[in-house]
Structures are given as C-alpha cells and as structure tokens.
Amino acid sequence: MQRWKATVSYDGTLFAGYQVQPEGRTVQSEIERSLAKMHKGGELRISASGRTDAGVHAIGQVFHFDSSLAIAPERWVKALNALLPGDIRITEVEAAAPDFHARFSAQKKEYHYRLLTCPQPDVFRRNYAYHFPYSLDHGALEDGMRMFLGTHDFTSFSSARSAVEDKIRTIYSFQMETSTDEILFKVSGSGFLYNMVRIMIGTLLDVGQGRIKPQEIGEMLKKKDRSAAGKTAPPHGLYLYQVTY
Amino acid sequence: MQRWKATVSYDGTLFAGYQVQPEGRTVQSEIERSLAKMHKGGELRISASGRTDAGVHAIGQVFHFDSSLAIAPERWVKALNALLPGDIRITEVEAAAPDFHARFSAQKKEYHYRLLTCPQPDVFRRNYAYHFPYSLDHGALEDGMRMFLGTHDFTSFSSARSAVEDKIRTIYSFQMETSTDEILFKVSGSGFLYNMVRIMIGTLLDVGQGRIKPQEIGEMLKKKDRSAAGKTAPPHGLYLYQVTY
C-alpha cells in the first residue's frame, strides 16, 4: 500500500461543492469514481486539505489516497485525467509518507479572490470573478488588509454554522494586485475557517467604499460575533490557490 | 417604427449556435424571447451580421431589429440585459437608419482565435481557447498568415456545405500576438465564409508544425477544393470580435 499526494485544479462553476453529498455533482465524488474505475470498481476514499463551496474554484487543491496499484507518478496524472471530466484536472501526483495527511499536515494555505472592476459585466468572466463596478479606495483597502495580519480569533469572520472549536488562525500575508479591470486579492495563512476569506473580502469591500473605517476591523475581530463583520462575498471570485506542507 | 442596431457579447459554450433552430438553446432565440417580453408578447425577429456555430463566442456581434417602443438607447441595454441570461450581454444599442442592415451593411469583420500553448490544459480556459501544446515555428506562421492577405477565392477554405455562390473575399490583416501561454490570432476581412477562419487556423497549425510550407497556402487557394486545405480548428477558440459599418 502506498500513500499518494495529488494536486488538483477545478472549475467550481458546475459543482455543488467539493465534498460528497447526497445530491449534486461534487469534485470528490468525480475523483473517487475515476479512482474506482482504475481499481476495477474497488471503492476508494480520498481526503482533501479542506472542502470548497459550490462555485468556488481551485488551482492547487491537495488530497491524499492509498492504493496498492504500482503506478508511476506521471502515469497517475495521465490515467486519472483520461477518466475525469474536463472541469477537473490533476496537475501532480507524488508518493507520500504513510503518515502524510492532506488536511492535518498542511502548514499554509493561500487563497485568491478576483474582483472585476469595469462598469460592464463580462460574459467570459461571469463565473470566474465577482463583478463589483463601484469605486474603491485602494489605500483604505491596503489598511484594511493589514488589520487581518497576525494571529486572531476569527469567530466574527467565519460562518455561524462553522463547527470548529478553535477559531484562532494566523494570517501571514494579504496583498492586492491591480490590473486594468481587475483586483486580485491574495491571502495566505495557517488555515481558514468556513467562509472566512469570503467574509474578509466582503468586509474589505465595505472598507474600500468608505462605509466603515479600516480600524473597525480590529473591533470586529474583538467582538467574536459573525454579525459584527461584513457580508459574505460570492463564491465565484474565490480560488484555493495553494496548500503548503 | 424605429430601426435599432445592437451590439452583443456572448459566451458560446452553452449554445447550440447563434441561429434559431428546432432543437437546442440559441443566442437568437434568447434575444428574441427577451424582446417579445418587452413587446408584451408580440413576436419580433432580429437579423445578425452572420451566424456563429455552437461553441463559438462573440465579443461584438451586431444585429438589428425594428420596434415601435419609444425607449432611449441606454434603456434598451438595461432592459434587455435584465431579461437575458448571464451568458448574453448587450453592450450597446443605437438608433439606425431605416435601410441599415446588420448583414448587408457590414464593411469589415474581425475574428480572433485563441490558442493555449502551455503543456498542461487549463480548466478555466477549456471552453475559451484551443489547447495546442505543440511546438510552433512563429516565423512560418507569420509567412502563412501573409499568404491569405488580399483578395482570393476562398472555396478551399470554406465548408463544402456552404451555400454561398460568391466565394471571393478580401483579407485586410492577419496578425498574431504572443503571451506567456497563449497565441492570439487576429484576422480582419471584407467577410468570411462558413468555417473560413477555423479552416485558415487549422491550416496555419500545419504550417507552424512544419507539415506544409507557408507557400503551399497559395496552391491550396488556387485548387478551389475544400479537401486541399487543412483541418477545421475547433469552435471554442473562435471569437467574432467586431463588425464595422
């Protein structure tokens, strides 16, 4: 039996999310179905670094699985991609130590959030960036992003439905890159709670529009109450970019 | 009664093409349905600059229609977009002369073709660029594009199913722009026959791979036979970029 670490990219548009659930097409079930075919119908479970919601994309999601098939890493990539639908692509498969765990071994995660800032919507980016054609104060956004840096209790910035007990996380970096008609937010941290990136982005949009001051983010963090923070930004601008081990 | 000229952008991925047909969702039928709603159910036909095939995209397709509704141009844009699905966006509506015709008044058309040249496919561009991870000689491509310039009989470069009698067209410009992992071809001409851009691109890919010499394109044109030219490149890399009147 060998443990394998796989990196996968997916377009979240047509998925009901990452995790297997009773209804709807999910990334996990598509990958498990492809692995089952390779294992002649033998059932096989995969474990990811974390789930992503419906509409959320991944450039570098990671999962692990165990297999007794003697296949070289590059062959795993080709064989799985030949069985997977076009909106899921395995980008790398590596042999991993028996105790490697895609979720518990993760040291750092990076998410990206794409904002489309031009006045008109763009049919080609409608599922890949959040169209937000309103004026934003970039200096205020920079100040707001700085408020998240470091170690905080992120209760206010996670869905009230989150079942995790420990809501303390560390944000290592939070940056934005501006191009002609987009703003790309890049945030990396020790881990992220349910909806955490989307609530941080939704709150930053309030900051950028001058509805709240950047400093108020500090008070929101202290309140440890979801209702203290801003709205949850929509899923289709969000990308799980990289998981570091 | 006023004649209106409208410019429309659409993501061709989920359409069975532009033109109304018995089965499948088409761009024309979606727009006509929206116009019918605005006219309280009264049927209304639109005429486009030309049809596009299933999977082909448009950034600046143009159509005209007649209406007795007294609506300002900007209001037409907003009202139609409110009724249209997200993969069709009206970008401009202007009052036109009574004899304006989206097809017959067109002076020039520009098409773009996107090639994804990196080794790995990209889930986010799988419907928006043709993945062609093979080595291409850019000098040969440039020489090949030059062979199409000017006025020629394009019988060899149009679908044998094309019903048009006059197959003489003029290519004004044919250029390519190269970025990290894409080549964008831009071609403008007096008009284009059925599948013409896709067959020109398919033939250029043979030229770029050294399978045929750029000069052979001249001989292909002379033969006036579809079987003399290269393959038809797939639809999802093609964009109707602009129609000039």
Side-chain angles (χ1 to χ4, degrees):
Chain A
M1 209 60 140
Q2 170 70 50
R3 179 149 293 192
W4 295 96
K5 175 195 173 204
T7 308
V8 59
S9 170
Y10 47 83
D11 175 345
T13 307
L14 301 176
F15 290 105
Y18 171 79
Q19 199 174 46
V20 168
Q21 50 182 339
E23 307 237 346
R25 185 175 174 254
T26 72
V27 178
Q28 185 185 353
S29 56
E30 292 285 350
I31 295 173
E32 289 180 348
R33 186 181 312 163
S34 300
L35 280 167
K37 276 188 196 153
M38 287 182 67
H39 291 79
K40 313 287 178 205
E43 274 210 17
L44 202 147
R45 284 274 160 269
I46 65 171
S47 285
S49 73
R51 59 186 92 166
T52 53
D53 275 343
V56 174
H57 312 290
I59 290 169
Q61 167 74 291
V62 174
F63 65 89
H64 76 257
F65 64 97
D66 297 316
S67 170
S68 53
L69 291 183
I71 302 181
E74 326 77 62
R75 284 295 309 155
W76 273 114
V77 174
K78 283 189 185 168
L80 280 169
N81 282 339
L83 293 166
L84 286 165
D87 48 0
I88 304 181
R89 286 295 95 181
I90 305 290
T91 56
E92 196 178 16
V93 174
E94 303 169 77
D99 63 345
F100 172 81
H101 194 290
R103 181 165 164 214
F104 301 121
S105 309
Q107 296 295 312
K108 191 171 89 169
K109 271 189 176 179
E110 180 171 342
Y111 278 94
H112 289 181
Y113 198 94
R114 275 175 75 182
L115 217 60
L116 181 65
T117 53
C118 49
Q120 292 287 338
D122 176 351
V123 290
F124 303 105
R125 284 180 280 186
R126 73 193 187 287
N127 297 320
Y128 306 109
Y130 174 34
H131 185 227
F132 195 81
Y134 310 105
S135 176
L136 288 168
D137 178 337
H138 289 205
L141 286 175
E142 299 269 11
D143 290 344
M145 289 186 290
R146 255 192 300 278
M147 296 299 297
F148 288 114
L149 297 181
T151 304
H152 307 279
D153 183 313
F154 281 94
T155 303
S156 298
F157 291 87
S158 71
S159 166
R161 287 181 290 146
S162 172
V164 186
E165 292 249 330
D166 174 15
K167 299 197 173 169
I168 293 171
R169 296 290 183 278
T170 303
I171 300 296
Y172 302 127
S173 70
F174 208 148
Q175 294 170 310
M176 58 188 264
E177 285 175 12
T178 307
S179 62
T180 325
D181 55 6
E182 286 200 19
I183 295 177
L184 180 66
F185 292 96
K186 297 178 168 187
V187 58
S188 81
S190 61
F192 293 87
L193 300 165
Y194 188 47
N195 279 357
M196 181 168 150
V197 181
R198 290 166 56 189
I199 300 170
M200 291 195 292
I201 296 293
T203 305
L204 284 170
L205 295 179
D206 285 340
V207 169
Q209 292 182 288
R211 295 176 182 211
I212 57 168
K213 293 202 181 77
Q215 294 72 24
E216 289 180 59
I217 288 173
E219 293 153 35
M220 290 175 177
L221 284 163
K222 278 183 202 132
K223 282 188 181 156
K224 300 180 193 174
D225 174 7
R226 170 67 189 93
S227 68
K231 283 200 282 274
T232 305
H236 63 281
L238 186 62
Y239 295 74
L240 172 52
Y241 181 74
Q242 196 173 40
V243 189
T244 309
Y245 295 90
Chain B
M1 208 60 139
Q2 169 71 49
R3 177 151 292 193
W4 297 96
K5 174 194 174 205
T7 308
V8 61
S9 171
Y10 48 84
D11 176 344
T13 308
L14 302 176
F15 290 105
Y18 171 80
Q19 199 175 44
V20 168
Q21 50 183 338
E23 307 238 346
R25 183 173 174 255
T26 73
V27 178
Q28 183 186 355
S29 56
E30 292 286 350
I31 295 173
E32 288 180 348
R33 186 181 313 161
S34 301
L35 280 167
K37 277 188 194 150
M38 288 182 67
H39 292 79
K40 313 287 175 205
E43 276 209 16
L44 201 147
R45 284 273 161 269
I46 66 171
S47 285
S49 73
R51 61 186 92 166
T52 54
D53 274 344
V56 174
H57 312 292
I59 289 170
Q61 168 73 291
V62 174
F63 64 88
H64 75 258
F65 63 96
D66 297 316
S67 170
S68 53
L69 292 183
I71 302 182
E74 326 77 62
R75 285 295 309 155
W76 272 114
V77 174
K78 284 191 186 166
L80 279 170
N81 282 338
L83 294 168
L84 285 166
D87 48 359
I88 304 180
R89 287 294 96 179
I90 304 291
T91 56
E92 196 179 16
V93 173
E94 304 168 76
D99 63 347
F100 172 82
H101 192 288
R103 180 166 165 216
F104 301 119
S105 308
Q107 295 295 312
K108 191 172 88 170
K109 272 189 174 180
E110 181 171 341
Y111 279 93
H112 288 182
Y113 197 93
R114 274 175 76 183
L115 217 60
L116 182 65
T117 54
C118 49
Q120 293 287 338
D122 175 351
V123 290
F124 303 106
R125 284 179 279 185
R126 72 192 187 287
N127 297 320
Y128 306 111
Y130 173 34
H131 185 227
F132 195 80
Y134 311 104
S135 174
L136 288 169
D137 177 339
H138 288 204
L141 287 175
E142 300 269 10
D143 290 343
M145 288 187 290
R146 253 193 302 277
M147 296 299 299
F148 289 115
L149 297 180
T151 303
H152 307 280
D153 183 312
F154 281 93
T155 302
S156 298
F157 291 87
S158 72
S159 166
R161 287 181 292 147
S162 171
V164 186
E165 294 250 330
D166 174 15
K167 298 194 173 172
I168 294 171
R169 297 290 183 277
T170 303
I171 299 297
Y172 302 128
S173 69
F174 208 148
Q175 293 170 313
M176 59 187 262
E177 285 175 11
T178 307
S179 63
T180 325
D181 57 5
E182 286 200 20
I183 296 176
L184 180 66
F185 293 95
K186 298 180 168 186
V187 57
S188 81
S190 60
F192 293 86
L193 299 165
Y194 188 47
N195 281 356
M196 181 169 150
V197 181
R198 291 166 57 190
I199 300 170
M200 291 195 293
I201 296 293
T203 305
L204 284 170
L205 295 178
D206 285 339
V207 169
Q209 292 183 288
R211 294 176 183 212
I212 56 168
K213 294 202 179 77
Q215 294 72 26
E216 289 180 58
I217 289 174
E219 292 152 37
M220 290 174 175
L221 285 163
K222 279 184 202 130
K223 282 189 180 154
K224 299 181 192 173
D225 173 9
R226 169 67 188 92
S227 67
K231 283 201 283 273
T232 305
H236 62 281
L238 186 62
Y239 295 73
L240 171 52
Y241 182 75
Q242 197 175 39
V243 189
T244 309
Y245 294 91

